[in-house]
Amino acid sequence: MTTRSIFSIIIIAVISVFANASNKNSKINIMSYNIRNGIGMDEKRDLNRTAATITAENPDVVCVQEVDSVTGRSGGAYVLGDLAKATNMHPTFAAAIDFMGGKYGIGILSKEEPLSVKRIALPGREEERACVIAEFSNYVVACTHLSLTPADQLASVQLIVNETSQYTKPVFLCGDFNAYPNSEVIAAFKKQFKIISQTKHASWPSESPKDMIDYIMVLKSTAKGVNAGNAHVVNGTLASDHLPQCVTVDIRH
C-alpha cells in the first residue's frame, strides 16, 4: 500500500467520524419548576427538599421561578447558588425586582455552563417581570415567570419571540405563565411555539392540583430534528405550591 493510499484512508476515516458525530442525538431532560423560594405547602422553607425534588428527576437543565438572591427574607443567602451546590449544577440568576435588600426573580440550573446569558425585562403592573435566556452548545433555554395581568402577558409574548427568534439552535421556553391552556396568551404563544410538556395534568396547587399554568415549549422555527417524549408533571412533592413540569427531548444534530 502506498503512502498516498494510507493518507487517503486516514482522511476518509476522519471524515466518517465527524459525519457520524453530527448525526448523533443529544438527549436532554428539561424541568420547569416554580420553587416558591423553597417554601413548601407546610409553609416551611427547606431547600434540601427542593433539591431532592430536582435531583430525583435528573434534569440537565431546570428553569426556576420565584427565587431570592441575598434578601433579608432568605437570611442573605444566594438561594439559586445554594440549590446549585446541592444539585451539582451551574446557577444563572436573573432579577425581576429589588426585594428586602436583595433581588427576587428567576433562574436556570444547568449541568453545562452556559456559553452566553441574556436578560430581558418584561411588563408587570403588579410587579416587574423578566426572561433569562441561556445558550448552550446544542440548544437554548429561556426561563420566564409572566405577570398575573393578561394585558402584560400578551405584551410579553412578542418581546420573548423577538429575542428567541435570533437563535438557530433549538430554543426551549419554560416557566410559570400564569395562564390556562385555553387562554388568549397561550394561543398567542402557540403561533410561534409548540407546547411539548404535559397539559392535561394540573400543576397548581401541588397538594390538590386544579390548574395548568406551567409549560415547556419549543420555538417552531428551531424545532427541526427535535423529538419530545416522557412529558410529565412530577406528582407527590409538596416542596412548593407548584409541581414541576418535565420533558425529555432528543435533538438530532
Side-chain angles (χ1 to χ4, degrees):
M1 185 178 291
T2 64
T3 302
R4 177 177 293 182
S5 297
I6 295 173
F7 182 75
S8 298
I9 291 172
I10 293 173
I11 292 296
I12 292 171
V14 170
I15 292 173
S16 177
V17 168
F18 279 100
N20 289 334
S22 66
N23 289 327
K24 287 182 179 179
N25 285 6
S26 292
K27 181 173 287 187
I28 304 162
N29 294 323
I30 302 174
M31 173 185 281
S32 183
Y33 193 14
N34 183 326
I35 67 167
R36 201 190 184 196
N37 203 44
I39 300 173
M41 293 304 289
D42 55 5
E43 300 303 322
K44 296 179 180 178
R45 183 172 176 271
D46 186 349
L47 286 180
N48 289 328
R49 185 168 52 181
T50 307
T53 300
I54 292 172
T55 54
E57 294 295 318
N58 191 30
D60 295 285
V61 61
V62 188
C63 289
V64 177
Q65 303 88 46
E66 293 194 18
V67 58
D68 281 2
S69 177
V70 296
T71 68
R73 175 173 64 179
S74 295
Y78 177 32
V79 174
L80 194 69
D82 290 343
L83 274 177
K85 290 178 182 177
T87 59
N88 196 29
M89 302 177 88
H90 296 279
T92 300
F93 177 77
I97 60 171
D98 295 328
F99 184 75
M100 294 186 65
K103 304 289 183 180
Y104 171 78
I106 57 178
I108 295 174
L109 297 171
S110 57
K111 290 183 178 178
E112 178 186 347
E113 188 172 0
L115 300 176
S116 66
V117 175
K118 180 187 294 186
R119 175 197 176 276
I120 60 172
L122 298 178
R125 59 199 68 188
E126 74 285 342
E127 68 179 48
E128 294 178 352
R129 304 287 174 154
C131 178
V132 59
I133 305 172
E135 180 183 5
F136 300 97
S137 56
N138 296 323
Y139 61 98
V140 176
V141 170
C143 172
T144 193
H145 185 190
L146 296 185
S147 167
L148 296 170
T149 307
D152 293 333
Q153 294 174 353
L154 286 171
S156 298
V157 174
Q158 195 56 51
L159 292 172
I160 292 173
V161 169
N162 289 345
E163 292 295 334
T164 55
S165 295
Q166 299 177 24
Y167 298 92
T168 56
K169 298 175 183 178
V171 177
F172 301 97
L173 173 64
C174 313
D176 177 355
F177 288 65
N178 280 314
Y180 303 134
N182 61 351
S183 65
E184 186 179 0
V185 67
I186 296 301
F189 271 113
K190 287 169 70 174
K191 293 178 181 178
Q192 301 294 333
F193 287 87
K194 177 183 177 182
I195 298 175
I196 57 175
S197 56
Q198 174 66 253
T199 57
K200 294 181 180 180
H201 192 298
S203 61
W204 183 91
S206 58
E207 61 182 351
S208 182
K210 296 181 177 66
D211 299 320
M212 171 52 68
I213 54 178
D214 302 278
Y215 303 89
I216 300 173
M217 307 179 181
V218 62
L219 185 64
K220 291 179 181 178
S221 63
T222 66
K224 184 178 180 181
V226 174
N227 294 305
N230 193 30
H232 62 283
V233 173
V234 179
N235 293 306
T237 175
L238 301 181
S240 169
D241 59 338
H242 285 248
L243 296 174
Q245 279 273 26
C246 298
V247 67
T248 299
V249 296
D250 284 317
I251 303 174
R252 183 171 293 279
H253 304 299

